Amino acid sequence: MGIVLFTITSAMTSTLSVPNPGIQDTHRCQLSPLAVPERLLLGPGPSNADATVVAAMNRQPIGHLDPAYLTLMDEVQELLRYAWQTDNAMTYPVPGTGSAAMEATLANGIEPGDVVLVGVNGYFGHRLVDMARRYGAEVRTITQAWGQPFSLQELEKALDQHRPNLLALVHAETSTGVRQPLEGVGDLCHQRDCLLLVDTVTSLGGMPIFLDAWQVDLAYSCSQKGLSCPPGVSPFTMSSRAVAKLEQRQTPVANWYLDATLLRKYWGSERVYHHTAPINLTYALREALRLLAEEGLDARWQRHQQTAEKLWAGLEAMGLSCHVAQEFRLPTLTTVRVPDGVEAKAVAQQLLLEHNIEIGGGLGDLAGQVWRIGLMGANSYPEKVDTLLQALKQVLVP
Ligand SMILES: *Cc1c(COP(=O)(O)O)cnc(C)c1O
């Protein structure tokens, strides 16, 4: 593998005055500089980053209280509000991937003993259940088949039955490819004094989202899917309703790192140090959001829809079928049924190693049954669909 181990050199004399038990060089390997293969990432994420996003990230870091950085923070917040269509003051990225932002919404939105109702119709619903329990919630679930959304009537019935303090739904279930319609859900929640939490990890930047019009109280996303930015910072937002609940807590937020009562002092006007911001990832996110704003939400959503429709038509022409009814299909992620007799994993492996294209396999209930094809952000273009379909044809019909 080109790894050269150094031998221990006893001849070196040290001028350090601290006691030195002798450096072991066992793990010291001499490597050539990093080389990364070029892949087309058409799986459930990460997606490829735009070249200008990578360039933005590769600048020198500056201090997290530098006036230039504080300006950049304000810009990121404004751009996130645009991307989500919200006026929420508390809108900022948290360090970590989408799961960290998921954790931030639950940690800040839940007090021990709260009843939390989670819509589980895929893998990420289960993750919400697991996390909410860890924050002391009394979790109830409403379930649907993997590949089906919840109807407004089902949600209303469950809200009446469980009387939760918080309802959590996944807008774009990346494990199934299903879009959860959200029109009217916020109304149902607020009539019952319940907050609405929504996972927008695979929808932000790729399909219509109107957080304020839908009266969503807590939402999170990630950087590496629809925004085409490397993973590591993740959008988080709270409505004034959710902030009011936060301010009335009887117990401190059980996660110090993601505590919005502390973080708001850094992201708000006080600028109080909390943790060192992931400076370079914030550069990258700013550029990714700038590109989104330059394109405009409407154009971007149209592009994603049209590119997905081209994929669906191409798959159908090859005799393949999609797992989800067209009405509820995500433009960002398509689940494709694996034909009988075909080894799903082997196909994905061959696409990666022979064609440099990554696609995803099925998760949970859909393991082995579907492939997951993502067309997100910088990859949502007709040329990428052509590249994938050509490669898929070669692999399936050699
Ligand atoms: C990817 C994803 C997550 C988790 O995000 P990470 O960035 O992998 O931590 C959560 N929810 C949904 C719907 C996702 O697709």
Side-chain angles (χ1 to χ4, degrees):
M1 300 282 285
I3 297 174
V4 179
L5 293 177
F6 286 87
T7 50
I8 297 168
T9 51
S10 54
M12 281 182 192
T13 50
S14 172
T15 53
L16 298 173
S17 56
V18 293
N20 184 347
I23 294 169
Q24 298 297 313
D25 275 355
T26 322
H27 303 296
R28 184 175 178 191
C29 40
Q30 196 177 45
L31 300 175
S32 38
L34 178 69
V36 178
E38 255 186 55
R39 310 281 200 212
L40 178 57
L41 301 179
L42 300 182
S47 180
N48 293 88
D50 267 289
T52 64
V53 172
V54 175
M57 192 172 72
N58 286 343
R59 305 287 172 81
Q60 281 289 339
I62 56 174
H64 56 266
L65 292 172
D66 187 308
Y69 190 73
L70 300 181
T71 302
L72 185 147
M73 286 166 68
D74 290 342
E75 292 165 350
V76 167
Q77 288 189 279
E78 255 325 79
L79 287 166
L80 272 180
R81 292 186 189 108
Y82 170 69
W84 254 330
Q85 291 293 287
T86 181
D87 293 331
N88 289 345
M90 287 270 263
T91 303
Y92 52 78
V94 297
T97 64
S99 304
M102 179 191 274
E103 187 132 5
T105 55
L106 293 171
N108 289 286
I110 294 174
E111 276 216 81
D114 278 0
V115 175
V116 171
L117 177 64
V118 183
V120 179
N121 58 348
Y123 181 88
F124 291 102
H126 284 294
R127 185 171 294 183
L128 282 164
V129 168
D130 185 355
M131 277 191 197
R133 284 211 179 107
R134 291 168 192 241
Y135 286 99
E138 189 189 322
V139 177
R140 314 277 177 82
T141 58
I142 171 175
T143 57
Q144 210 7 309
W146 286 42
Q148 297 285 339
F150 296 97
S151 70
L152 204 55
Q153 293 72 23
E154 284 173 300
L155 293 173
E156 182 167 24
K157 195 167 149 241
L159 285 168
D160 282 334
Q161 185 187 341
H162 298 289
R163 289 280 159 184
N165 301 94
L166 188 145
L167 168 67
L169 294 173
V170 179
H171 184 212
E173 229 324 330
T174 323
S175 63
T176 64
V178 165
R179 175 181 62 86
Q180 174 61 51
L182 292 168
E183 290 85 355
V185 181
D187 252 342
L188 293 180
C189 289
H190 298 143
Q191 285 158 13
R192 292 162 179 80
D193 201 18
C194 166
L195 295 180
L196 175 60
L197 183 158
V198 176
D199 176 320
T200 68
V201 172
T202 298
S203 50
L204 185 68
M207 55 192 266
I209 302 186
F210 299 94
L211 282 197
D212 285 1
W214 294 342
Q215 300 181 42
V216 174
D217 297 301
L218 292 137
Y220 57 90
S221 192
C222 76
S223 53
Q224 77 275 12
K225 296 184 188 179
L227 298 180
S228 272
C229 175
V233 276
S234 299
F236 160 89
T237 190
M238 285 180 101
S239 70
S240 49
R241 235 185 245 102
V243 173
K245 179 170 191 230
L246 180 74
E247 285 169 348
Q248 287 156 21
R249 289 180 71 96
Q250 304 297 308
T251 56
V253 174
N255 185 316
W256 181 87
Y257 198 51
L258 300 169
D259 183 342
T261 65
L262 303 174
L263 279 167
R264 72 193 296 192
K265 294 184 189 156
Y266 176 51
W267 284 93
S269 54
E270 292 174 68
R271 303 299 190 186
V272 177
Y273 162 73
H274 179 256
H275 62 257
T276 305
I279 306 287
N280 292 57
L281 282 166
T282 315
Y283 296 166
L285 183 62
R286 180 197 183 275
E287 176 61 10
L289 289 166
R290 189 191 70 79
L291 291 174
L292 177 145
E294 187 176 73
E295 183 174 6
L297 281 178
D298 194 46
R300 191 168 177 113
W301 294 340
Q302 295 285 351
R303 168 164 70 83
H304 279 76
Q305 185 64 28
Q306 280 160 13
T307 309
E309 284 175 13
K310 179 178 166 71
L311 172 70
W312 302 338
L315 292 168
E316 209 171 293
M318 286 174 65
L320 295 169
S321 59
C322 295
H323 177 64
V324 177
Q326 182 148 354
E327 185 189 357
F328 299 114
R329 249 177 240 166
L330 297 175
T332 45
L333 187 115
T334 300
T335 39
V336 188
R337 305 283 320 169
V338 177
D340 287 343
V342 173
E343 238 276 62
K345 250 190 201 148
V347 170
Q349 194 71 357
Q350 209 178 334
L351 278 174
L352 183 70
L353 299 181
E354 292 174 17
H355 299 270
N356 283 312
I357 300 174
E358 179 176 282
I359 65 166
L363 274 182
D365 286 10
L366 294 177
Q369 296 180 35
V370 297
W371 290 295
R372 293 184 297 151
I373 301 174
L375 293 169
M376 306 178 190
N379 286 344
S380 172
Y381 284 98
E383 309 85 77
K384 312 282 175 174
V385 174
D386 289 334
T387 304
L388 171 69
L389 289 174
Q390 258 169 29
L392 196 56
K393 258 176 225 160
Q394 280 181 37
V395 172
L396 288 177
V397 202

mmCIF file of all heavy atoms in Angstrom, residues 44-45 96-102 123-125 127-128 131 170-175 199-203 220-225 231-232 234 333 372 376, ligand 1:
data_model
loop_
_atom_site.group_PDB
_atom_site.id
_atom_site.type_symbol
_atom_site.label_atom_id
_atom_site.label_comp_id
_atom_site.label_asym_id
_atom_site.label_seq_id
_atom_site.Cartn_x
_atom_site.Cartn_y
_atom_site.Cartn_z
ATOM 1 N N PRO A 44 -27.862 9.041 -1.942
ATOM 2 C CA PRO A 44 -28.685 9.840 -1.014
ATOM 3 C C PRO A 44 -27.899 10.945 -0.318
ATOM 4 O O PRO A 44 -28.435 11.633 0.539
ATOM 5 C CB PRO A 44 -29.174 8.799 -0.009
ATOM 6 C CG PRO A 44 -28.173 7.697 -0.059
ATOM 7 C CD PRO A 44 -27.628 7.667 -1.448
ATOM 8 N N GLY A 45 -26.654 11.127 -0.635
ATOM 9 C CA GLY A 45 -25.819 12.161 -0.030
ATOM 10 C C GLY A 45 -24.575 11.525 0.548
ATOM 11 O O GLY A 45 -24.626 10.372 0.957
ATOM 12 N N GLY A 96 -21.645 20.302 12.641
ATOM 13 C CA GLY A 96 -22.020 18.894 12.557
ATOM 14 C C GLY A 96 -22.877 18.643 11.329
ATOM 15 O O GLY A 96 -23.260 19.574 10.615
ATOM 16 N N THR A 97 -23.186 17.399 11.088
ATOM 17 C CA THR A 97 -24.005 17.052 9.918
ATOM 18 C C THR A 97 -25.489 17.163 10.268
ATOM 19 O O THR A 97 -25.847 17.591 11.368
ATOM 20 C CB THR A 97 -23.674 15.630 9.438
ATOM 21 O OG1 THR A 97 -24.023 14.702 10.469
ATOM 22 C CG2 THR A 97 -22.194 15.488 9.085
ATOM 23 N N GLY A 98 -26.331 16.785 9.351
ATOM 24 C CA GLY A 98 -27.780 16.909 9.539
ATOM 25 C C GLY A 98 -28.269 16.317 10.852
ATOM 26 O O GLY A 98 -29.164 16.871 11.496
ATOM 27 N N SER A 99 -27.656 15.236 11.280
ATOM 28 C CA SER A 99 -28.088 14.595 12.533
ATOM 29 C C SER A 99 -27.844 15.505 13.732
ATOM 30 O O SER A 99 -28.595 15.464 14.711
ATOM 31 C CB SER A 99 -27.353 13.273 12.734
ATOM 32 O OG SER A 99 -27.550 12.443 11.618
ATOM 33 N N ALA A 100 -26.801 16.331 13.666
ATOM 34 C CA ALA A 100 -26.538 17.279 14.755
ATOM 35 C C ALA A 100 -27.644 18.329 14.796
ATOM 36 O O ALA A 100 -28.118 18.711 15.871
ATOM 37 C CB ALA A 100 -25.175 17.944 14.567
ATOM 38 N N ALA A 101 -28.073 18.792 13.636
ATOM 39 C CA ALA A 101 -29.148 19.785 13.593
ATOM 40 C C ALA A 101 -30.474 19.145 14.015
ATOM 41 O O ALA A 101 -31.317 19.784 14.650
ATOM 42 C CB ALA A 101 -29.248 20.389 12.199
ATOM 43 N N MET A 102 -30.650 17.871 13.671
ATOM 44 C CA MET A 102 -31.829 17.125 14.127
ATOM 45 C C MET A 102 -31.833 17.106 15.651
ATOM 46 O O MET A 102 -32.828 17.413 16.316
ATOM 47 C CB MET A 102 -31.758 15.685 13.576
ATOM 48 C CG MET A 102 -32.895 14.775 13.989
ATOM 49 S SD MET A 102 -32.576 13.012 13.563
ATOM 50 C CE MET A 102 -33.131 12.861 11.917
ATOM 51 N N TYR A 123 -36.724 5.350 7.567
ATOM 52 C CA TYR A 123 -35.561 5.242 8.440
ATOM 53 C C TYR A 123 -35.382 6.463 9.349
ATOM 54 O O TYR A 123 -35.052 6.340 10.530
ATOM 55 C CB TYR A 123 -34.331 5.081 7.548
ATOM 56 C CG TYR A 123 -33.031 4.918 8.265
ATOM 57 C CD1 TYR A 123 -32.582 3.657 8.654
ATOM 58 C CD2 TYR A 123 -32.223 6.014 8.539
ATOM 59 C CE1 TYR A 123 -31.375 3.509 9.306
ATOM 60 C CE2 TYR A 123 -31.016 5.863 9.188
ATOM 61 C CZ TYR A 123 -30.595 4.615 9.566
ATOM 62 O OH TYR A 123 -29.401 4.468 10.218
ATOM 63 N N PHE A 124 -35.582 7.669 8.812
ATOM 64 C CA PHE A 124 -35.280 8.863 9.595
ATOM 65 C C PHE A 124 -36.347 9.163 10.641
ATOM 66 O O PHE A 124 -36.073 9.817 11.646
ATOM 67 C CB PHE A 124 -34.963 10.044 8.676
ATOM 68 C CG PHE A 124 -33.657 9.808 7.973
ATOM 69 C CD1 PHE A 124 -33.622 9.376 6.645
ATOM 70 C CD2 PHE A 124 -32.458 9.924 8.656
ATOM 71 C CE1 PHE A 124 -32.419 9.101 6.016
ATOM 72 C CE2 PHE A 124 -31.243 9.647 8.036
ATOM 73 C CZ PHE A 124 -31.230 9.230 6.713
ATOM 74 N N GLY A 125 -37.554 8.664 10.436
ATOM 75 C CA GLY A 125 -38.563 8.718 11.489
ATOM 76 C C GLY A 125 -38.092 7.938 12.711
ATOM 77 O O GLY A 125 -38.213 8.388 13.851
ATOM 78 N N ARG A 127 -35.013 7.441 13.552
ATOM 79 C CA ARG A 127 -33.931 8.186 14.210
ATOM 80 C C ARG A 127 -34.507 9.281 15.108
ATOM 81 O O ARG A 127 -34.010 9.518 16.210
ATOM 82 C CB ARG A 127 -32.984 8.784 13.160
ATOM 83 C CG ARG A 127 -31.786 9.463 13.790
ATOM 84 C CD ARG A 127 -30.743 9.869 12.779
ATOM 85 N NE ARG A 127 -30.125 8.710 12.145
ATOM 86 C CZ ARG A 127 -29.126 8.780 11.255
ATOM 87 N NH1 ARG A 127 -28.647 9.965 10.900
ATOM 88 N NH2 ARG A 127 -28.624 7.693 10.721
ATOM 89 N N LEU A 128 -35.570 9.941 14.647
ATOM 90 C CA LEU A 128 -36.229 10.968 15.472
ATOM 91 C C LEU A 128 -36.761 10.366 16.767
ATOM 92 O O LEU A 128 -36.646 10.952 17.847
ATOM 93 C CB LEU A 128 -37.372 11.619 14.678
ATOM 94 C CG LEU A 128 -36.973 12.667 13.645
ATOM 95 C CD1 LEU A 128 -38.119 12.941 12.674
ATOM 96 C CD2 LEU A 128 -36.561 13.973 14.330
ATOM 97 N N MET A 131 -33.796 9.658 19.137
ATOM 98 C CA MET A 131 -33.240 10.876 19.739
ATOM 99 C C MET A 131 -34.209 11.506 20.734
ATOM 100 O O MET A 131 -33.795 11.944 21.811
ATOM 101 C CB MET A 131 -32.937 11.903 18.649
ATOM 102 C CG MET A 131 -31.607 11.692 17.972
ATOM 103 S SD MET A 131 -31.267 13.162 16.977
ATOM 104 C CE MET A 131 -29.990 12.517 15.924
ATOM 105 N N VAL A 170 -41.000 14.008 8.714
ATOM 106 C CA VAL A 170 -39.901 14.109 7.758
ATOM 107 C C VAL A 170 -40.494 14.572 6.418
ATOM 108 O O VAL A 170 -41.310 13.874 5.832
ATOM 109 C CB VAL A 170 -39.183 12.758 7.605
ATOM 110 C CG1 VAL A 170 -38.047 12.873 6.593
ATOM 111 C CG2 VAL A 170 -38.647 12.280 8.954
ATOM 112 N N HIS A 171 -40.077 15.758 5.990
ATOM 113 C CA HIS A 171 -40.622 16.328 4.747
ATOM 114 C C HIS A 171 -40.223 15.478 3.545
ATOM 115 O O HIS A 171 -41.040 15.195 2.672
ATOM 116 C CB HIS A 171 -40.104 17.761 4.584
ATOM 117 C CG HIS A 171 -40.670 18.490 3.409
ATOM 118 N ND1 HIS A 171 -39.954 19.435 2.725
ATOM 119 C CD2 HIS A 171 -41.877 18.422 2.804
ATOM 120 C CE1 HIS A 171 -40.709 19.919 1.749
ATOM 121 N NE2 HIS A 171 -41.882 19.325 1.772
ATOM 122 N N ALA A 172 -38.938 15.093 3.516
ATOM 123 C CA ALA A 172 -38.423 14.307 2.383
ATOM 124 C C ALA A 172 -37.722 13.084 2.963
ATOM 125 O O ALA A 172 -36.594 13.190 3.442
ATOM 126 C CB ALA A 172 -37.462 15.156 1.563
ATOM 127 N N GLU A 173 -38.387 11.944 2.958
ATOM 128 C CA GLU A 173 -37.826 10.723 3.552
ATOM 129 C C GLU A 173 -36.832 10.117 2.562
ATOM 130 O O GLU A 173 -37.214 9.466 1.588
ATOM 131 C CB GLU A 173 -38.939 9.726 3.864
ATOM 132 C CG GLU A 173 -38.997 9.095 5.226
ATOM 133 C CD GLU A 173 -37.748 8.729 6.008
ATOM 134 O OE1 GLU A 173 -36.716 8.403 5.387
ATOM 135 O OE2 GLU A 173 -37.799 8.747 7.240
ATOM 136 N N THR A 174 -35.579 10.304 2.844
ATOM 137 C CA THR A 174 -34.515 9.863 1.947
ATOM 138 C C THR A 174 -34.423 8.341 1.847
ATOM 139 O O THR A 174 -33.870 7.805 0.900
ATOM 140 C CB THR A 174 -33.171 10.434 2.454
ATOM 141 O OG1 THR A 174 -33.411 11.746 2.957
ATOM 142 C CG2 THR A 174 -32.156 10.515 1.342
ATOM 143 N N SER A 175 -34.969 7.641 2.829
ATOM 144 C CA SER A 175 -34.912 6.176 2.775
ATOM 145 C C SER A 175 -35.972 5.601 1.844
ATOM 146 O O SER A 175 -35.838 4.478 1.369
ATOM 147 C CB SER A 175 -35.083 5.589 4.176
ATOM 148 O OG SER A 175 -36.361 5.907 4.699
ATOM 149 N N ASP A 199 -38.170 17.713 9.399
ATOM 150 C CA ASP A 199 -36.865 17.358 8.823
ATOM 151 C C ASP A 199 -36.880 17.769 7.358
ATOM 152 O O ASP A 199 -37.673 17.252 6.570
ATOM 153 C CB ASP A 199 -36.658 15.841 8.967
ATOM 154 C CG ASP A 199 -35.375 15.326 8.314
ATOM 155 O OD1 ASP A 199 -35.028 15.791 7.207
ATOM 156 O OD2 ASP A 199 -34.741 14.427 8.888
ATOM 157 N N THR A 200 -36.022 18.741 7.005
ATOM 158 C CA THR A 200 -35.955 19.184 5.608
ATOM 159 C C THR A 200 -34.573 18.880 5.022
ATOM 160 O O THR A 200 -34.075 19.612 4.168
ATOM 161 C CB THR A 200 -36.260 20.692 5.477
ATOM 162 O OG1 THR A 200 -35.203 21.442 6.084
ATOM 163 C CG2 THR A 200 -37.567 21.082 6.121
ATOM 164 N N VAL A 201 -33.964 17.813 5.501
ATOM 165 C CA VAL A 201 -32.587 17.509 5.100
ATOM 166 C C VAL A 201 -32.476 17.259 3.593
ATOM 167 O O VAL A 201 -31.547 17.743 2.952
ATOM 168 C CB VAL A 201 -32.029 16.315 5.917
ATOM 169 C CG1 VAL A 201 -30.680 15.877 5.372
ATOM 170 C CG2 VAL A 201 -31.889 16.690 7.380
ATOM 171 N N THR A 202 -33.416 16.535 3.025
ATOM 172 C CA THR A 202 -33.316 16.230 1.593
ATOM 173 C C THR A 202 -34.256 17.091 0.752
ATOM 174 O O THR A 202 -34.421 16.887 -0.432
ATOM 175 C CB THR A 202 -33.533 14.714 1.373
ATOM 176 O OG1 THR A 202 -32.485 14.018 2.076
ATOM 177 C CG2 THR A 202 -33.460 14.287 -0.076
ATOM 178 N N SER A 203 -34.880 18.084 1.380
ATOM 179 C CA SER A 203 -35.748 18.962 0.584
ATOM 180 C C SER A 203 -35.160 20.359 0.402
ATOM 181 O O SER A 203 -35.359 20.973 -0.649
ATOM 182 C CB SER A 203 -37.150 19.046 1.202
ATOM 183 O OG SER A 203 -37.110 19.343 2.583
ATOM 184 N N TYR A 220 -34.713 21.580 10.489
ATOM 185 C CA TYR A 220 -33.268 21.421 10.334
ATOM 186 C C TYR A 220 -33.001 20.875 8.950
ATOM 187 O O TYR A 220 -33.893 20.349 8.273
ATOM 188 C CB TYR A 220 -32.700 20.476 11.398
ATOM 189 C CG TYR A 220 -33.329 19.104 11.411
ATOM 190 C CD1 TYR A 220 -32.802 18.063 10.646
ATOM 191 C CD2 TYR A 220 -34.468 18.852 12.171
ATOM 192 C CE1 TYR A 220 -33.395 16.802 10.654
ATOM 193 C CE2 TYR A 220 -35.062 17.593 12.183
ATOM 194 C CZ TYR A 220 -34.518 16.573 11.427
ATOM 195 O OH TYR A 220 -35.105 15.331 11.424
ATOM 196 N N SER A 221 -31.735 21.006 8.540
ATOM 197 C CA SER A 221 -31.341 20.453 7.252
ATOM 198 C C SER A 221 -29.863 20.096 7.311
ATOM 199 O O SER A 221 -29.299 19.964 8.398
ATOM 200 C CB SER A 221 -31.655 21.441 6.127
ATOM 201 O OG SER A 221 -31.527 20.792 4.875
ATOM 202 N N CYS A 222 -29.243 19.932 6.151
ATOM 203 C CA CYS A 222 -27.810 19.642 6.121
ATOM 204 C C CYS A 222 -27.210 20.460 4.996
ATOM 205 O O CYS A 222 -27.913 21.153 4.271
ATOM 206 C CB CYS A 222 -27.559 18.144 5.896
ATOM 207 S SG CYS A 222 -27.817 17.619 4.204
ATOM 208 N N SER A 223 -25.915 20.388 4.843
ATOM 209 C CA SER A 223 -25.257 21.165 3.789
ATOM 210 C C SER A 223 -24.977 20.330 2.545
ATOM 211 O O SER A 223 -24.877 20.855 1.445
ATOM 212 C CB SER A 223 -23.932 21.729 4.326
ATOM 213 O OG SER A 223 -23.141 20.689 4.876
ATOM 214 N N GLN A 224 -24.871 19.006 2.708
ATOM 215 C CA GLN A 224 -24.285 18.180 1.643
ATOM 216 C C GLN A 224 -25.289 17.526 0.696
ATOM 217 O O GLN A 224 -24.917 16.719 -0.124
ATOM 218 C CB GLN A 224 -23.393 17.100 2.262
ATOM 219 C CG GLN A 224 -24.123 15.918 2.884
ATOM 220 C CD GLN A 224 -24.577 16.132 4.322
ATOM 221 O OE1 GLN A 224 -24.549 17.242 4.812
ATOM 222 N NE2 GLN A 224 -25.016 15.076 4.995
ATOM 223 N N LYS A 225 -26.544 17.893 0.801
ATOM 224 C CA LYS A 225 -27.513 17.296 -0.129
ATOM 225 C C LYS A 225 -27.967 18.378 -1.119
ATOM 226 O O LYS A 225 -27.203 18.741 -2.001
ATOM 227 C CB LYS A 225 -28.628 16.625 0.667
ATOM 228 C CG LYS A 225 -28.065 15.453 1.510
ATOM 229 C CD LYS A 225 -29.084 14.637 2.268
ATOM 230 C CE LYS A 225 -28.358 13.659 3.203
ATOM 231 N NZ LYS A 225 -29.246 12.825 4.002
ATOM 232 N N PRO A 231 -20.198 18.219 3.749
ATOM 233 C CA PRO A 231 -20.901 18.031 5.028
ATOM 234 C C PRO A 231 -20.145 18.662 6.188
ATOM 235 O O PRO A 231 -18.912 18.758 6.153
ATOM 236 C CB PRO A 231 -20.951 16.503 5.191
ATOM 237 C CG PRO A 231 -19.855 15.975 4.328
ATOM 238 C CD PRO A 231 -19.662 16.958 3.222
ATOM 239 N N GLY A 232 -20.874 19.109 7.222
ATOM 240 C CA GLY A 232 -20.198 19.598 8.427
ATOM 241 C C GLY A 232 -20.850 20.778 9.126
ATOM 242 O O GLY A 232 -20.563 21.032 10.286
ATOM 243 N N SER A 234 -24.897 22.530 9.551
ATOM 244 C CA SER A 234 -26.270 22.172 9.235
ATOM 245 C C SER A 234 -27.279 23.210 9.709
ATOM 246 O O SER A 234 -27.293 23.579 10.885
ATOM 247 C CB SER A 234 -26.580 20.807 9.850
ATOM 248 O OG SER A 234 -25.711 19.846 9.287
ATOM 249 N N LEU A 333 -34.584 12.749 -4.639
ATOM 250 C CA LEU A 333 -34.188 11.363 -4.419
ATOM 251 C C LEU A 333 -35.245 10.387 -4.913
ATOM 252 O O LEU A 333 -36.395 10.456 -4.495
ATOM 253 C CB LEU A 333 -33.915 11.072 -2.943
ATOM 254 C CG LEU A 333 -33.336 9.656 -2.847
ATOM 255 C CD1 LEU A 333 -31.929 9.663 -2.346
ATOM 256 C CD2 LEU A 333 -34.227 8.718 -2.110
ATOM 257 N N ARG A 372 -31.254 3.866 -4.517
ATOM 258 C CA ARG A 372 -31.635 5.253 -4.262
ATOM 259 C C ARG A 372 -30.748 6.172 -5.100
ATOM 260 O O ARG A 372 -29.526 6.143 -4.971
ATOM 261 C CB ARG A 372 -31.511 5.568 -2.765
ATOM 262 C CG ARG A 372 -32.550 4.765 -1.949
ATOM 263 C CD ARG A 372 -32.530 5.123 -0.481
ATOM 264 N NE ARG A 372 -31.262 4.805 0.125
ATOM 265 C CZ ARG A 372 -30.754 5.452 1.167
ATOM 266 N NH1 ARG A 372 -31.404 6.467 1.692
ATOM 267 N NH2 ARG A 372 -29.604 5.094 1.675
ATOM 268 N N MET A 376 -29.249 16.097 -6.735
ATOM 269 C CA MET A 376 -29.351 17.219 -5.803
ATOM 270 C C MET A 376 -28.380 18.326 -6.176
ATOM 271 O O MET A 376 -27.209 18.070 -6.477
ATOM 272 C CB MET A 376 -29.006 16.744 -4.394
ATOM 273 C CG MET A 376 -29.823 15.553 -3.919
ATOM 274 S SD MET A 376 -29.274 15.054 -2.272
ATOM 275 C CE MET A 376 -30.150 13.491 -2.069
HETATM 276 C C1 LIG B 1 -29.212 12.489 5.542
HETATM 277 C C2 LIG B 1 -30.411 12.641 6.389
HETATM 278 C C3 LIG B 1 -30.332 12.894 7.772
HETATM 279 C C4 LIG B 1 -29.039 12.860 8.517
HETATM 280 O O1 LIG B 1 -28.153 13.779 8.065
HETATM 281 P P1 LIG B 1 -26.570 13.516 8.217
HETATM 282 O O2 LIG B 1 -26.008 14.689 7.496
HETATM 283 O O3 LIG B 1 -26.297 12.207 7.550
HETATM 284 O O4 LIG B 1 -26.252 13.488 9.647
HETATM 285 C C5 LIG B 1 -31.495 13.136 8.457
HETATM 286 N N1 LIG B 1 -32.693 13.105 7.854
HETATM 287 C C6 LIG B 1 -32.815 12.842 6.544
HETATM 288 C C7 LIG B 1 -34.161 12.821 5.920
HETATM 289 C C8 LIG B 1 -31.684 12.591 5.777
HETATM 290 O O5 LIG B 1 -31.800 12.324 4.477
#
